[in-house]
């Protein structure tokens, strides 16, 4: 299991759990820094100590063996696995040192440690300093008496807002830098090691034999490093773009919480006739009406106390004249005596807590009102152009081409072979069309995005191809047809990679984020871009196998009569036909055969005429059982809500295209056709 992704949205919530995740990254950076310093020292010893070369190289190899890369995310790509194998090479691959070993190995490692890890440490100091400053200003601010002048309080509020905004910006920049260093070490650190090892092979008296044995791994590793670098560049720009968006509109990128409400609250505690305000991180679930509190003190290094939980009985806003502190409300518990007075961080924060806990106004208070703050097709010569699909065309010309191609009046007159249209203009138009024009979502749909990513993470290559094949045939028909056209074209482009330099991996980097982008823009989703690229690589490399075949199945009514109407025609992939040969399924009658013999279907992806050979695919669908493959929440009272694994009774055809009708717990309603598998 790798390091957890640090979401920028968590910088604004600043929860103890976020601090724990951030701490794991900091420990990893400290570990990497310590390891590189030790490796540099051992490398110098290896170069200088020729008389004790055997001992030095063994120690150097042992240092490498102690280190293992930790990748961000829950799985590694094949390239990352290949890169991770380098540190565990055995000591017998280390021959005599080369003359410029310090330039090849020591200097790049020292430069990485000084420029990258040191920068992360400086950012950490700034982050800790701003944390301490923000906490101090916040506590001082919350201690202000409500009886002070309104102008003084307003000025203090503005000051806290400025300090809070600065703290959020420093937090975002620090998280960005931490994750950047974690990703950069995968190539900035490994490349010097690879160059150093290659140099050693050259000067070894058995270097030829050693280099020959190492060549296959070196080739794979070189390709993996390049692929990882390409994915990093793509990922880094996406992460940086997300960071900028969150700086500009932080309220639009709040973290989606599993709790009804959560955040920091100050709780009044009376000890020896003295009232103190203690800071807790609180969460509230509306359904069980359960409040959980965790004592948290940032001055102690983020250590948390024991968790305390109780059931809410009531929540009441405190009158301003009843307590010196602002933003307060009282909470009563079912399983705890007394009344707890809590202080929110602002008036808006108190409003949100009270709304979540169904709070009420104090008795006798009239007229209180919460104040809301406004807050293509390429020609043959073009297929060999270097950097095909990577080089971007002039935006104005791309938009002009799209405008002509999308207009029914002018589309027939567009000649791509015309010298007016450069290859880069055509390729940019294709990418723009797929990303922004053709559909409201990606071509491979948001619905199956996580399924494709999960398939790409499978260990077995054959299993990946099989699963992706099945997922492709779950796509809507129009999406699948367009995807097949595109992948077939990209396979042709890849076949010319010697000329255009666009390998399958390069095409994956270009089209992965376009065809399979996530619905929600998060750091974790951006880290999965490398697996989106792998999905596209598999589609291109195995395009003949993935395309497969699809057949059209005719539904027969309970009376045994074939109904060829649009409502009674649908298609499934060839891999889903195993249940057709079930017993007690009626074949079409001779009357049905004669009636439709030789006639072509009017709808559906296939328009083949009816023939006796097609009898094997006729079946009765009425009255069958089916199992839900995925969960679904009804958006209309005519639809059924269910979870994955639910069994439906009496599943049969519906008049709604793309829907079936079935019964669940005595209620009959609509079920998405591609959400179920028949039993």
């Amino acid at each position: 299991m790798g390091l957890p992704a640090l979401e920028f949205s968590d910088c604004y919530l600043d929860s103890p759990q976020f601090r724990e995740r951030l701490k794991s990254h900091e420990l990893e950076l400290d570990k990497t820094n310590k390891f590189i310093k030790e490796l540099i020292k051992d490398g110098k010893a290896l170069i200088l100590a020729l008389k004790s070369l055997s001992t030095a190289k063994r120690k150097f190899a042992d240092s490498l063996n102690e280190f293992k890369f930790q990748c961000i995310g829950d799985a590694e790509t094949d390239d990352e696995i290949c890169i991770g194998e380098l540190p565990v090479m055995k000591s017998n691959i280390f021959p005599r040192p080369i003359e410029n070993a310090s330039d090849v190995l020591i200097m790049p490692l020292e430069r990485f440690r000084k420029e990258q890890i040191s920068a992360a440490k400086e950012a950490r100091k700034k982050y800790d300093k701003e944390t301490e400053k923000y906490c101090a200003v916040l506590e001082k601010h919350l201690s202000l008496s409500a009886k002070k002048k309104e102008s003084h309080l307003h000025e203090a509020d503005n000051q806290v807002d400025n300090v809070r905004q600065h703290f959020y910006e420093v937090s975002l920049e620090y998280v960005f830098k931490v994750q950047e260093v974690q990703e950069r070490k995968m190539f900035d650190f490994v490349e010097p090691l690879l160059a150093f090892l290659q140099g050693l092979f050259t000067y070894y008296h058995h270097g030829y034999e050693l280099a020959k044995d190492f060549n296959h791994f070196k080739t794979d590793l070189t390709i993996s490093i390049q692929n990882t670098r390409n994915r990093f560049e793509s990922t880094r720009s996406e992460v940086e773009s997300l960071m900028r968006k969150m700086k500009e509109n932080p309220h639009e990128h709040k973290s989606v919480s599993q709790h009804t409400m959560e955040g920091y609250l100050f709780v009044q505690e009376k000890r020896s006739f003295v009232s103190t305000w203690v800071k807790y991180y609180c969460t509230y679930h509306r359904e069980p009406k359960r409040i959980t509190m965790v004592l948290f003190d940032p001055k102690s290094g983020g250590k948390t106390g024991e968790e305390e939980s109780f059931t809410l009985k009531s929540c009441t806003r405190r009158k301003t004249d009843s307590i010196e502190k602002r933003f307060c409300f009282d909470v009563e518990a079912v399983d705890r005596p007394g009344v707890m007075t809590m202080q929110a961080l602002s008036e808006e924060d108190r409003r949100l807590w009270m709304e979540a806990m169904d709070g009420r106004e104090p008795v006798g208070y009239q007229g209180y009102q919460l104040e809301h703050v406004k807050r293509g097709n390429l020609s043959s010569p073009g297929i060999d152009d270097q950097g095909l699909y990577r080089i971007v065309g002039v935006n104005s010309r791309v938009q002009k081409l799209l405008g002509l191609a999308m207009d029914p009046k002018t589309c027939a007159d567009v000649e791509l072979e015309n010298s007016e249209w450069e290859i880069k203009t055509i390729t940019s138009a294709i990418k723009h069309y797929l990303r922004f024009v053709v559909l409201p979502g990606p071509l491979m749909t948001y619905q199956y995005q996580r399924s494709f990513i999960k398939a790409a993470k499978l260990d077995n290559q054959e299993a990946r191809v099989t699963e992706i094949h099945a997922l492709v045939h779950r796509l809507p028909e129009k999406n699948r047809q367009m995807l097949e056209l595109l992948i077939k074209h990209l396979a042709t482009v890849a076949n010319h990679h010697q000329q255009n330099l666009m390998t399958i991996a390069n095409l994956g980097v270009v089209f992965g984020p376009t065809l399979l982008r996530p619905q929600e823009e998060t750091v974790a989703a951006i880290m999965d871009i490398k697996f989106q690229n792998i999905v596209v690589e598999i589609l291109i490399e195995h395009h003949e196998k993935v395309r497969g075949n699809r057949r059209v199945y005719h539904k027969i009514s309970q009376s045994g009569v074939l109904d060829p109407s649009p409502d009674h025609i649908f298609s499934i992939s060839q891999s889903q036909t195993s249940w057709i040969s079930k017993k007690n399924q009626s074949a079409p009658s001779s009357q049905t055969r004669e009636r439709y013999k030789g006639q072509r279907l009017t709808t559906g992806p296939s328009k083949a005429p009816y023939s006796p050979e097609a009898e094997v695919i006729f079946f009765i669908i009425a009255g069958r059982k089916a199992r839900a493959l995925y969960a679904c929440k009804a958006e209309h009272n005519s639809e059924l809500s269910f979870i994955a694994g639910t069994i439906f009774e009496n599943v049969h055809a519906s008049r709604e295209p793309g829907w079936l009708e079935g019964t669940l717990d005595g209620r009959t309603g609509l079920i998405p056709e591609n959400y179920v598998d028949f039993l």
Side-chain angles (χ1 to χ4, degrees):
M1 193 66 179
L3 295 170
L6 298 174
E7 296 295 349
F8 288 131
S9 57
D10 286 338
C11 293
Y12 295 94
L13 198 57
D14 195 28
S15 67
Q17 293 77 16
F18 165 69
R19 291 276 181 158
E20 286 295 323
R21 291 193 292 271
L22 182 57
K23 189 174 182 180
S24 68
H25 282 259
E26 292 170 345
L27 291 174
E28 179 62 20
L29 286 180
D30 291 339
K31 177 183 173 184
T32 302
N33 186 46
K34 182 179 178 182
F35 167 74
I36 293 177
K37 290 173 65 176
E38 187 69 20
L39 189 62
I40 291 173
K41 184 182 72 173
D42 293 343
K44 289 179 179 178
L46 177 63
I47 295 168
L48 297 175
L50 296 176
K51 293 181 180 180
S52 57
L53 176 61
S54 178
T55 303
K57 70 178 183 181
R58 189 177 301 112
K59 189 176 188 305
F60 186 70
D62 290 342
S63 295
L64 286 176
N65 285 330
E66 291 173 1
F67 183 77
K68 177 175 173 57
F69 286 116
Q70 292 290 333
C71 300
I72 297 176
D74 58 356
E76 296 178 336
T77 65
D78 292 340
D79 294 322
E80 290 169 339
I81 293 172
C82 179
I83 291 172
E85 290 175 355
L86 180 64
V88 297
M89 299 295 288
K90 301 301 181 183
S91 60
N92 60 9
I93 71 167
F94 293 96
R96 293 168 59 187
I98 57 177
E99 294 180 357
N100 63 339
S102 293
D103 295 338
V104 172
L105 177 66
I106 304 302
M107 291 178 62
L109 292 182
E110 289 180 334
R111 185 166 57 249
F112 176 78
R113 191 174 68 84
K114 291 177 182 178
E115 293 180 0
Q116 299 299 326
I117 297 182
S118 295
K121 286 187 174 182
E122 288 300 317
R124 178 179 177 180
K125 290 179 182 178
K126 185 177 180 182
Y127 175 69
D128 291 339
K129 182 178 178 181
E130 289 299 324
T131 298
E132 184 177 353
K133 178 181 177 181
Y134 171 61
C135 291
V137 171
L138 182 62
E139 291 187 14
K140 180 180 178 181
H141 175 65
L142 294 175
S143 299
L144 286 176
S145 172
K147 298 178 180 179
K148 287 186 176 293
K149 293 182 178 180
E150 187 64 26
S151 60
H152 181 76
L153 294 176
H154 183 68
E155 181 180 352
D157 287 348
N158 291 336
Q159 181 185 2
V160 170
D161 287 342
N162 291 335
V163 173
R164 181 186 293 115
Q165 182 61 33
H166 185 61
F167 168 69
Y168 287 159
E169 291 180 359
V170 170
S171 179
L172 287 168
E173 292 170 357
Y174 177 47
V175 168
F176 172 73
K177 186 62 182 177
V178 166
Q179 299 202 118
E180 180 186 26
V181 175
Q182 297 284 23
E183 289 288 295
R184 288 187 72 93
K185 69 182 181 185
M186 296 297 290
F187 51 86
D188 275 357
F189 171 67
V190 175
E191 274 188 326
L193 285 177
L194 180 61
F196 177 65
L197 294 178
Q198 184 60 31
L200 289 175
F201 294 148
T202 307
Y203 288 88
Y204 195 61
H205 68 284
H206 292 306
Y208 175 75
E209 290 82 2
L210 289 174
K212 185 169 62 175
D213 294 339
F214 184 74
N215 191 58
H216 177 70
F217 176 74
K218 185 200 76 170
T219 302
D220 290 345
L221 186 57
T222 303
I223 295 172
S224 294
I225 290 172
Q226 186 58 45
N227 291 342
T228 303
R229 184 190 297 276
N230 291 341
R231 289 166 185 155
F232 165 77
E233 293 297 338
S234 174
T235 302
R236 185 185 184 280
S237 62
E238 293 284 345
V239 174
E240 190 173 19
S241 174
L242 177 59
M243 182 186 71
R244 287 197 299 267
K245 289 179 183 177
M246 296 194 66
K247 278 186 176 182
E248 296 168 0
N249 299 294
H251 295 290
E252 294 180 7
H253 294 83
K254 293 291 185 181
S255 179
V256 178
S257 173
Q258 60 178 328
H259 311 292
T260 305
M261 185 65 187
E262 63 177 310
Y264 287 104
L265 290 172
F266 285 80
V267 179
Q268 186 182 42
E269 296 184 355
K270 296 181 180 180
R271 300 171 184 171
S272 303
F273 306 104
V274 178
S275 293
T276 59
W277 293 85
V278 184
K279 188 177 183 179
Y280 286 88
Y281 191 82
C282 303
T283 58
Y284 175 69
H285 288 270
R286 185 187 294 274
E287 288 303 323
K289 300 187 73 172
R290 199 74 181 165
I291 300 177
T292 302
M293 299 168 32
V294 179
L295 180 64
F296 181 76
D297 183 7
K299 295 180 181 179
S300 65
K303 293 182 180 178
T304 58
E306 293 185 3
E307 186 175 280
E308 184 180 355
S309 183
F310 56 88
T311 302
L312 177 69
K313 180 180 179 182
S314 66
C315 171
T316 308
R317 187 184 64 83
R318 284 291 293 266
K319 289 184 180 180
T320 304
D321 56 4
S322 68
I323 191 169
E324 187 174 318
K325 297 277 189 178
R326 297 195 296 164
F327 320 136
C328 293
F329 58 93
D330 291 337
V331 169
E332 288 186 87
V334 174
D335 45 358
R336 174 176 174 162
V339 176
M340 295 179 64
T341 299
M342 297 181 169
Q343 183 184 30
L345 304 184
S346 64
E347 184 62 49
E348 174 68 11
D349 192 40
R350 176 169 65 174
R351 181 184 69 80
L352 293 174
W353 277 104
M354 290 189 63
E355 285 184 359
M357 294 190 287
D358 299 319
R360 62 175 184 267
E361 295 300 325
V363 176
Y365 185 80
Q366 300 294 331
Y368 176 79
Q369 207 173 22
L370 288 176
E371 178 185 358
H372 294 275
V373 182
K374 296 180 181 178
R375 315 255 188 213
N377 182 25
L378 295 179
S379 60
S380 296
I383 205 76
D384 293 331
D385 281 21
Q386 291 189 4
L388 193 66
Y389 282 109
R390 270 195 181 277
I391 300 176
V392 180
V394 179
N395 186 57
S396 60
R397 299 198 59 77
V398 172
Q399 294 298 330
K400 179 181 178 182
L401 176 56
L402 280 172
L404 293 172
M406 296 299 294
D407 190 340
K409 298 178 181 178
T410 59
C411 62
D413 299 326
V414 176
E415 294 289 342
L416 296 182
E417 292 81 5
N418 193 315
S419 58
E420 178 186 1
W421 307 114
E422 295 180 288
I423 295 302
K424 61 183 180 182
T425 302
I426 299 172
T427 55
S428 295
I430 291 173
K431 290 188 293 184
H432 190 91
Y433 176 78
L434 290 170
R435 191 169 183 86
F436 302 108
V437 180
V438 63
L439 291 170
L443 187 61
M444 296 170 73
T445 74
Y446 292 130
Q447 177 184 348
Y448 295 113
Q449 196 264 348
R450 291 306 308 162
S451 299
F452 277 111
I453 295 297
K454 186 177 179 181
K457 293 179 180 179
L458 294 175
D459 295 332
N460 183 274
Q461 177 69 13
E462 185 64 30
R464 295 181 195 174
V465 177
T466 301
E467 183 63 21
I468 289 174
H469 169 271
L471 289 169
V472 165
H473 287 287
R474 290 183 189 173
L475 295 174
E477 186 63 22
K478 295 297 183 182
N479 297 53
R480 185 188 62 80
Q481 290 175 355
M482 181 172 288
L483 180 64
E484 288 185 359
L485 287 173
L486 176 65
I487 295 302
K488 184 178 180 181
H489 164 66
L490 295 182
T492 304
V493 173
N495 288 338
H496 291 251
H497 72 274
Q498 296 287 357
Q499 294 78 31
N500 59 36
L501 306 183
M502 291 303 291
T503 62
I504 290 177
N506 289 339
L507 291 170
V509 170
V510 173
F511 282 92
T514 295
L515 299 179
L516 205 61
R517 64 185 184 273
Q519 189 166 12
E520 185 179 358
E521 196 175 13
T522 65
V523 174
I526 293 173
M527 292 304 170
D528 275 341
I529 287 177
K530 52 194 174 187
F531 293 104
Q532 294 172 191
N533 302 347
I534 289 173
V535 172
V536 175
E537 291 173 21
I538 290 173
L539 288 173
I540 297 172
E541 187 174 358
H542 303 275
H543 67 282
E544 290 294 342
K545 181 176 180 179
V546 171
R547 284 175 65 190
N549 296 314
R550 289 171 70 87
R551 298 178 180 177
V552 176
Y553 293 86
H554 306 260
K555 299 178 184 176
I556 304 176
S557 66
Q558 286 178 302
S559 62
V561 177
L562 173 66
D563 185 348
S565 66
D567 291 343
H568 289 170
I569 297 176
F570 72 108
S571 19
I572 60 175
S573 67
Q574 194 172 19
S575 60
Q576 294 175 302
T577 62
S578 58
W579 46 266
I580 292 176
S581 60
K582 300 275 186 184
K583 294 181 180 180
N584 302 323
Q585 293 179 355
S586 304
S589 65
S590 57
Q591 180 183 2
T592 301
R593 297 175 190 166
E594 189 63 30
R595 178 180 177 185
Y596 293 107
K597 186 173 183 179
Q599 292 187 16
R600 293 183 175 272
L601 302 178
T602 57
T603 62
S606 171
K607 300 192 180 192
Y610 173 81
S611 65
E613 290 77 16
E615 285 185 16
V616 69
I617 62 173
F618 278 55
F619 63 96
I620 293 179
I621 194 172
R624 302 189 58 189
K625 289 186 178 182
R627 178 188 287 108
L629 299 174
Y630 318 101
C632 179
K633 185 175 181 180
E635 297 181 356
H636 191 271
N637 56 13
S638 64
E639 302 169 11
L640 293 178
S641 294
F642 50 85
I643 61 174
T646 299
I647 303 297
F648 302 99
E649 303 285 344
N650 191 30
V651 180
H652 55 274
S654 165
R655 292 187 177 275
E656 295 289 335
W659 294 79
L660 300 173
E661 197 170 85
T663 302
L664 175 63
D665 297 333
R667 181 172 176 264
T668 299
L670 297 176
I671 310 163
E673 189 174 66
N674 58 346
Y675 272 48
V676 300
D677 193 11
F678 285 93
L679 302 179

